[in-house]
Amino acid sequence: MREFVNPYGRVVVGPAESLFARAVRLIETEQLRKRTGSFTVALSGGSTPKDWFTWVVAHRAFSPEVLAAAHFTVSDERVVPLDSDDSNFGNARRVLLEPLKIPAARSHPWPVDLSPTEAAEAYAQTLTALTGPKESYGVCMLGMGEDTHTASFFPGSALLEDDGGVSFAAVNTPQRGWRLTITPTGLRTCGLIVVMALGAGKAQALRRVMIGEEEWSKVPSKILSTASDRVVWLVDELAASEL
Ligand code: 6PG
């Protein structure tokens, strides 16, 4: 594995399994660092985390301390029922949390049965009760789409310009409908942000984020530069091939 630091955070490049193991170690290290409040891990949606979940379960990769204490949620969510294949938390629950027997008391889906705005407010209260007012998540895992979106910040998202200073929000996105998401403000109060991007399909996006000169309104993942002291990118050689 090789790694370097740039204005977007620490970039770790290596084979998928090494990156998967590194993600586990980052979570464990962050849990050890945690002093007050509950330790929260926000998982992400997409195919890459699903592969990681499967690997974590197969390798019994989480330490007993993480399994016994961590609270799990997702960094952003589609407003669909949890049993839908489109539900980020639903997928995390099916592939990771249920096999690991994480109890319901430490599983925190976004309350998708409420209206989106009420859901974001209720979720913010739940997270504040867990972590206190100064932290959004202990660890926030994110993916990145080929269009350079991360969390629910899509190109042109108003949240990139002004999120109102809140950590969690409901956003109505063109073509994608309502979504619930951590905000840029929320990202800046995470203990650690881990972005996983694997495969050749991410190469151009990663170049646009880390080398290109477009504004973050067009390349949303560039917003991570505002939290770069706490961002670790886990990318494979294919994704890093244009850096
Ligand atoms: C969503 C997904 C999405 C995902 C990226 C990367 O809610 O729409 O979570 O944002 O994180 O598209 O997905 P892959 O891991 O499948 O490349």
Side-chain angles (χ1 to χ4, degrees), residues 44-49 76 78 88 143-145 149 151 179 202:
S44 58
S47 56
T48 314
D76 73 319
R78 301 152 182 210
N88 287 340
M144 181 178 66
H149 85 264
R179 299 180 60 119
K202 300 294 161 71

